Amino acid sequence: MIKDILVSLRIGEGPDATVDYAASAAAALGAHLTGVAVSYEIDIPPVYTEAFSTDFLEAQRAESRRLAQRAVEYFGEATRSVNVPSDIRTIDGTPGGAAEQIGMLSRLYDLTIVGQADPDRMGAEEVIAEAVLFDSGRPVLLVPIKQQKPFSAKRILIAWDGGRAAARAVAEARPLLAHANLVEAVVVDTGRSKKADSLPGADLARHLARHEKTVELRRLVPGADEGIVDVLLKEVAARDIDLVVMGGYGHSRLREFVLGGVTRDILERMTVPLLLAH
């Protein structure tokens, strides 16, 4: 069961689609929602410290605190509007340091929700998502920048490749699968597998059937100029999918996170919420 959710608040002016989605998810699941707000500090290499005046640095800190407080106020309005029990955690630090703290904080929540990185504005969403994915041992639910619909798990697509991360994602998503009217397991056949399997994903379907969930299997072959993500996004649109479940691939190298190609591509192009586990 998902009863304890953490959401990373987007720091800045205006609405926060991630918070709105998280509040609706907590309401639908009967969960408590904790918001984490970051008051960001400028990450200045020691050699350049003297180039910035004390007044400038203090003005930046004050503005960061103001934006964090604005995010906290928006979170409070969103949770009150759907009558969700909630609380707030606050963090001070550089983007990298704050992401590391959120990754560790996520270890004691059933699910962490983070917004998709916005290429048109500064923010730490990408590094926060990576920290949660690789450091928490828990699933992360990514919400698209332009998400408008509230939480729904009625139509779920599982991107299945038979790997460890995909299996972990399915296990973490099981409480959400219970809400689904449609669970579609998609295997994208790139022609690289040497295993003779006339029905890819059949073992997954049998496994979920023992949890009283029927799975529709789909084997999709990319076109000449298509990649795996192209195929998945076309299927999401064609089947009116609410949520995609898939493994998050990559590794941590000297505290820097290196995402796999498909994982990075889907994070940049996602059109519906995406549940990842590593």
Side-chain angles (χ1 to χ4, degrees):
M1 299 177 69
I2 295 175
K3 292 298 179 183
D4 201 12
I5 300 175
L6 180 69
V7 59
S8 175
L9 310 188
R10 187 182 294 274
I11 304 304
E13 304 285 2
D16 187 340
T18 302
V19 164
D20 293 333
Y21 181 87
S24 68
L29 299 171
H32 182 280
L33 183 63
T34 298
V36 57
V38 180
S39 179
Y40 287 108
E41 300 174 358
I42 301 177
D43 191 4
I44 303 174
V47 67
Y48 296 118
T49 301
E50 294 182 0
F52 297 88
S53 70
T54 302
D55 289 344
F56 172 80
L57 293 175
E58 185 53 42
Q60 292 297 312
R61 292 189 189 101
E63 175 63 7
S64 185
R65 287 193 294 267
R66 185 189 71 81
L67 292 175
Q69 182 58 35
R70 175 68 189 91
V72 168
E73 292 169 357
Y74 188 93
F75 174 79
E77 294 167 2
T79 53
R80 285 191 296 272
S81 70
V82 291
N83 196 31
V84 164
S86 64
D87 68 326
I88 279 287
R89 300 287 297 268
T90 57
I91 290 174
D92 296 322
T94 63
E100 184 175 353
Q101 291 183 68
I102 294 173
M104 291 188 292
L105 188 63
S106 299
R107 295 171 184 172
L108 293 178
Y109 289 86
D110 300 323
L111 177 68
T112 296
I113 300 178
V114 180
Q116 180 187 27
D118 186 345
D120 297 326
R121 61 187 289 183
M122 293 182 65
E125 284 77 16
E126 182 175 1
V127 68
I128 290 172
E130 293 170 5
V132 175
L133 178 62
F134 293 119
D135 262 7
S136 72
R138 307 298 293 156
V140 57
L141 180 56
L142 279 298
V143 180
I145 301 167
K146 299 180 179 179
Q147 180 72 20
Q148 295 182 337
K149 295 181 180 179
F151 169 82
S152 174
K154 295 299 182 185
R155 301 178 67 83
I156 295 178
L157 183 149
I158 299 171
W160 182 249
D161 64 2
R164 183 189 66 82
R168 177 70 182 275
V170 170
E172 295 285 6
R174 197 169 294 136
L176 302 179
L177 297 176
H179 294 259
N181 297 327
L182 168 72
V183 177
E184 177 183 350
V186 170
V187 176
V188 180
D189 187 353
T190 60
R192 296 175 184 173
S193 176
K194 298 179 180 180
K195 182 180 178 181
D197 188 347
S198 60
L199 190 58
D203 290 343
L204 172 65
R206 282 193 292 269
H207 168 67
L208 291 179
R210 290 168 184 147
H211 290 271
E212 301 180 350
K213 183 55 60 178
T214 300
V215 177
E216 180 180 325
L217 297 179
R218 298 266 288 168
R219 174 180 172 273
L220 303 177
V221 179
D225 298 320
E226 290 183 325
I228 292 174
V229 174
D230 298 309
V231 173
L232 293 175
L233 293 180
K234 283 174 60 177
E235 188 69 5
V236 164
R239 303 300 300 274
D240 192 25
I241 296 298
D242 295 318
L243 176 71
V244 172
V245 174
M246 65 184 293
Y249 292 90
H251 61 277
S252 175
R253 183 171 59 199
L254 297 178
R255 306 301 301 167
E256 293 185 0
F257 303 111
V258 182
L259 292 176
V262 172
T263 302
R264 182 168 295 283
D265 195 12
I266 193 74
L267 289 182
E268 293 175 352
R269 300 169 57 194
M270 57 191 288
T271 56
V272 298
L274 173 68
L275 187 141
L276 291 173
H278 178 69

